[in-house]
Amino acid sequence: MNKVKTIEEAQKVFDLLGIKEVGKRWQHKKGTWVYELPFKTMYQNGSAEINRFSVYKSGYVRKMVVHPTKGSSYSCYQLNKTRKSDEYFKDYKWNEDFTKQTWTGKYRKSNRTERILIDRHDDRVVYLCNYILKNYYRNSKCALVGEYTQERVKVIHGEWWRNQRNEQDLPFTDEGKRYDDELCVNDIKVIINGHRYNLS
């Protein structure tokens, strides 16, 4: 299917993909439902982020920002669509000594961006399902990996970082330093086009 249209279809997709509802009882009483993807998003530095989303009785759908070690959500950002709307404010004018403002009888127009709230719970879940499918399964540009790959990336990233730092050290040997019981005097190492040469 190209797009999920009913909550029944959304629930089937969630079951098929292993997306779980992980909300607490007190959240359900407030009309909040929390969904979590079965994988994490991995970034270039080796850190991984839990993919957690919430739908609210107020009409909002949000992506939660989860603490990497505690596992608790500490921030969020909106996923609802936006629209431009006009807002009008009374236009005031200062008197000559700038002590009082009086209304000029006119209004000032201001443009603002507001979120489009989704009234029904079923529609919020369907909207979230389509958002997840579009951004995490169909057109995903981020790395979605399992636990084993996360650990391997961390190890490889650490090795790469250590090797980079070693290569940035000065390629000289201190005069009089011993290597393998041999006295190295005026021993100089030079790196040319990635190849290391010993000059003595």
Side-chain angles (χ1 to χ4, degrees), residues 7 10 43 108 126 128 135 173 191:
I7 192 169
Y43 298 100
R108 288 177 184 247
V126 168
L128 175 62
N135 294 283
T173 303
I191 299 175

Side-chain angles (χ1 to χ4, degrees), residues 9 17-19 36 52 59 63 70 82 93 102 115 133 136 140 174-175 177:
E9 290 177 353
L17 299 177
I19 300 171
E36 195 170 292
R52 188 178 295 162
K63 167 78 165 76
K70 296 180 181 177
T82 60
K93 183 179 180 181
T102 55
R115 295 284 173 177
L133 288 175
Y136 289 85
S140 178
D174 294 335
E175 185 175 339
K177 205 167 188 180

Side-chain angles (χ1 to χ4, degrees), residues 84-91 106-112:
K84 299 287 184 183
S85 64
D86 297 333
E87 198 170 5
Y88 295 89
F89 300 94
K90 285 185 175 181
D91 184 35
K106 298 178 181 179
Y107 290 88
R108 288 177 184 247
K109 181 180 176 181
S110 174
N111 294 323
R112 67 183 178 119

Side-chain angles (χ1 to χ4, degrees), residues 52-69:
R52 188 178 295 162
F53 305 86
S54 298
V55 294
Y56 296 86
K57 188 177 181 180
S58 60
Y60 286 104
V61 180
R62 294 180 175 131
K63 167 78 165 76
M64 310 308 293
V65 181
V66 182
H67 194 280
T69 56

Side-chain angles (χ1 to χ4, degrees), residues 4-150:
V4 173
K5 297 179 181 177
T6 66
I7 192 169
E8 289 80 12
E9 290 177 353
Q11 196 57 55
K12 286 180 182 178
V13 170
F14 287 166
D15 292 341
L16 179 67
L17 299 177
I19 300 171
K20 296 180 181 178
E21 203 289 314
V22 295
K24 308 284 192 248
R25 185 178 298 173
W26 62 269
Q27 290 175 310
H28 293 164
K29 286 182 180 179
K30 293 170 61 176
T32 302
W33 296 80
V34 184
Y35 296 90
E36 195 170 292
L37 302 190
F39 50 76
K40 297 178 182 178
T41 300
M42 178 149 260
Y43 298 100
Q44 293 176 345
N45 63 357
S47 64
E49 179 187 15
I50 295 172
N51 295 299
R52 188 178 295 162
F53 305 86
S54 298
V55 294
Y56 296 86
K57 188 177 181 180
S58 60
Y60 286 104
V61 180
R62 294 180 175 131
K63 167 78 165 76
M64 310 308 293
V65 181
V66 182
H67 194 280
T69 56
K70 296 180 181 177
S72 58
S73 304
Y74 65 91
S75 185
C76 64
Y77 54 88
Q78 311 291 348
L79 301 180
N80 297 61
K81 292 181 179 179
T82 60
R83 66 183 168 206
K84 299 287 184 183
S85 64
D86 297 333
E87 198 170 5
Y88 295 89
F89 300 94
K90 285 185 175 181
D91 184 35
Y92 289 92
K93 183 179 180 181
W94 287 99
N95 60 3
E96 292 181 6
D97 57 354
F98 296 100
T99 57
K100 188 177 180 184
Q101 285 184 324
T102 55
W103 181 39
T104 62
K106 298 178 181 179
Y107 290 88
R108 288 177 184 247
K109 181 180 176 181
S110 174
N111 294 323
R112 67 183 178 119
T113 303
E114 63 181 7
R115 295 284 173 177
I116 302 172
L117 301 182
I118 304 170
D119 296 328
R120 296 179 62 244
H121 172 74
D122 291 4
D123 294 338
R124 291 191 290 271
V125 175
V126 168
Y127 179 81
L128 175 62
C129 182
N130 286 316
Y131 177 88
I132 290 172
L133 288 175
K134 177 183 176 184
N135 294 283
Y136 289 85
Y137 287 91
R138 292 183 183 141
N139 302 325
S140 178
K141 294 181 181 177
C142 49
L144 308 173
V145 296
E147 298 289 336
Y148 172 77
T149 308
Q150 292 173 35

Side-chain angles (χ1 to χ4, degrees), residues 154-169:
K154 284 181 183 177
V155 170
I156 292 169
H157 178 73
E159 291 173 359
W160 174 85
W161 181 252
R162 285 189 294 276
N163 291 338
Q164 285 292 105
R165 295 199 54 179
N166 289 340
E167 290 178 5
Q168 291 173 0
D169 293 340

